[in-house]
Amino acid sequence: MGLTIDVHGLKVAYESVPVLDGTEFSVDRGDLVALLGANGAGKSTLLRCISRILQPTAGQILLDGQDLKSLKSREAARLMAVVPQETAADFDFTVEDIVMMGRFPYLTRFRKEDLHDREVVRRAMEMTGVTHLAERSIAQLSGGEKQRVVMARALAQQPELLLLDEPTANLDIGYQSMLLELASRLNREEGVTVIAAIHDINLAVHHFNRFILLAGGRVLASGRADEVITAENIRKSYGVPATTFRHPLHGVLQVSVIRGDKTRNAGKIGLRVHVIGGGEEAMPTLELLYQKGCRLSVGPVSAQDSGCRFAHFNSLPVVIVPPFTMMNRENRDEHLRLMREADAIVVPPIPFGEGNLPLFTEVEVALDEGKPLYIIDFAGLPERDYSGGKAVELFRRLLDKGASGVERVDDLIKVIKQGGGEDDD
Amino acid sequence: MTGRLTGKSIQSRGTKFTRPLLMVVLVLLLFFSALSAMIWGAVTIGWKNVFAILFDTLPFYQSETATGIAPVYKDILLQIRVPRVLLAAAVGSSLAVSGAVFQGLFRNPMADPYVIGISSGAALGAVFAMLGGFSLAVGGFGAVPLFAFFGGLATILLVYSMARVGRAVPVMTLLLAGIAVSAFLSALVSLLTYFAGEKLHQVIFWLMGGLGGATWLQVRVMLPYAFVGYLAVSIFSRELNAMLLGEETASNLGVDTEKVKKILLAGASLLVAAAVSTSGIIGFIGLVVPHFVRLVAGPDHRFLIPASALLGGSLLIATDMVARVIIAPTELPVGIITALIGAPTFMYLLKKRRKLRYFGGGG
């Protein structure tokens, strides 16, 4: 089971606008391929060329080395099955009728469905979990059920190649992963080659092991997730800045589009605020200030810190300290510069220890120069002090020099507005 | 019953016996409507005599009852009523089957046998022949049916070539081209009718459709067309099922959609052209009969097509009989009766079942 596919110099144009422009790739026996790319990149067009709905104007598609054009309709339908994004269901066939239609390519004009066909249909319905719907009318089913019926029909074709064209586009997250899990199970257990056009990259990386990224009708990248899904490739193909990261829970590569920072501040506070340090504990402070429209800067943090990711993600200025090193002269100067440019400095409720206390040398300089400094949750500091009391001592001194204590993150904005107002002009 | 009707996969609704049972009912209906159409008319022929005369025509069989019946009854039955019943059966089946095919092909419940303009083309041909007063006759045929037949087929070819894009014929374009051509030809028919003068009655009567003056010759000419057309579309009923899911899906399932479209279109057009040229434009049967069958037995064309043929035949035989007897000895155009009986029945079913099966999405 399983097919190889070779696509050579494929060209398709709609009204002389090229959609596929010399597409070239190959897929191995038993590959589980996600076809990625922006709207209009040519994903559906490519799939429809493979499923022979469209005739390419140039180029060639080989299935197991055999030219697609030389196959008869029924032969092709025995080799591959298609699950489209949506199926019309404005008629009153039962689910079993629909699945049985998957046996069409195996039936000749005068051969009727026999026991074997029924058995195949029964198994297909079982695998997709639609057995209980067998006698129901397709017109009465929900989108998710309908899509599973269509999947069952595809299975009844006993294909060696399964093409899915954005099969999850209209499904909720439960049905999405169920459908893709089904596809990957077929791939694993029966060796069926699977190619699926998919919009949701983060969903795709969970279920597929090979990725083909289309842009402008050509293959931009092809290979494993980390080879294909890079910030650079995403920017080139989807036209948006993005960042990739490993998911904190399951470690799988993920993509997130970077939020633009340009129009956000219109009509909002627009105060410039520097937030000291990072880590999970600093996130609520960062997110709140960001939401309120403050122009933030962050640091110093290490490159893997969530504060650093937040800064990159939102294109904020950030002081980055290389991992496992102390701050160097350059970092210190950069930090001091950001604090001087800010209207206010905020110390979020993060833990303190020998590692991060030294950076307060510069903070103290800024405070002495008259920058407003806000310390969140001073009362809870002893629980977060891993420096044997040095942090508490330091912060007391800062408060004496004019820093303000703020009880909760939520109060911060109000206080900064008042304090910042006094300091300006 | 044939084996395919008992297959479990197509037992989609009702009990396991719905379809075989319906088939039996439809065959009986055809039998009894044919029998009554032979009994009643301007003169009544008792059912025993009908059987006697019919059996008497069999070779090597001499009916004793038949010898006692006046020859005029034999002539009425054998030369007038039997050919008329056969012709009604053939025309009714052809209209119902082509209606089912067009509705499936266009995935449109509004489609009827005349949807892509065959009727207007045939009408133009027929009216043209009537007004021209052509005396041309081929193989015993008058000019009117010949012109109607070729007018209908020429229209289909025109519509088809208008809708063709390269190798493909998108059904939506076909439908629209049909509507456009049909509207144009209908205007021409109206124009000709306006100037029909003394032939106006003849024209109007033809346009309303009827089976008056049916002859054995018409039966002999009509039956082969009906048979060939029926065979063509019924052989492709499984493909037509797949086409209901959309052309792309059908193609993915291994249906050669362009080929199937051509064959179905050709078969159905042949049925309609033959029907229209023998009996004029009889409305409603082609639209309503397939819906009746779907309401009861679902959209599977392997059942829908033979069942529509039986029901369409019975219905036209019965309504034609009513048209003959209701103001006897004069006849009403049968199209009036089909609409008068068919429409209310259809509305009742529609109301009762709440929605049209097969096109159930909206309801």
Side-chain angles (χ1 to χ4, degrees), chain A residues 1-4 27-33 160 187-188 190-194 209:
Chain A
M1 284 291 260
L3 278 175
T4 66
V27 168
D28 282 339
R29 211 172 291 284
D31 264 357
L32 184 59
V33 182
E160 298 181 34
N187 172 269
R188 247 182 354 255
E190 320 250 340
V192 176
T193 308
V194 177
N209 53 33

Side-chain angles (χ1 to χ4, degrees), chain B residues 23 61 83 90 125 134 175 195 222 264:
Chain B
M23 220 48 173
Y61 181 87
F134 300 115
L175 200 56
F195 294 111
M222 172 76 201
L264 288 175

Side-chain angles (χ1 to χ4, degrees), chain B residues 275-313:
Chain B
V276 171
S277 61
T278 36
S279 63
I281 300 167
I282 296 174
F284 231 72
I285 288 198
L287 175 70
V288 164
V289 168
H291 282 306
F292 272 128
V293 179
R294 277 192 207 96
L295 279 163
V296 181
D300 190 336
H301 288 90
R302 288 173 294 181
F303 181 82
L304 179 61
I305 286 177
S308 295
L310 288 173
L311 186 59

Side-chain angles (χ1 to χ4, degrees), chain A residues 48 90-92 97 108, chain B residues 9 13 235 238 245 248 358:
Chain A
R48 292 170 80 203
D90 46 358
F91 43 81
D92 200 31
D97 288 339
T108 55
Chain B
S9 76
R13 52 194 50 76
I235 281 178
R238 193 146 54 194
L245 311 187
E248 241 183 85
Y358 166 78

Side-chain angles (χ1 to χ4, degrees), chain B residues 8 26 29 73 98 127 140 153 200 250 253 266 281-282 314 351:
Chain B
K8 193 184 173 301
L26 288 175
L29 189 69
Y73 287 105
S98 56
V127 173
L153 288 189
L200 183 64
L253 289 172
I281 300 167
I282 296 174
S314 317
K351 202 74 195 155

Side-chain angles (χ1 to χ4, degrees), chain B residues 96-118:
Chain B
V97 168
S98 56
V101 171
F102 282 126
Q103 284 166 5
L105 203 57
F106 293 123
R107 304 208 291 145
N108 189 329
M110 308 291 283
D112 73 358
Y114 311 130
V115 67
I116 47 176
I118 305 181

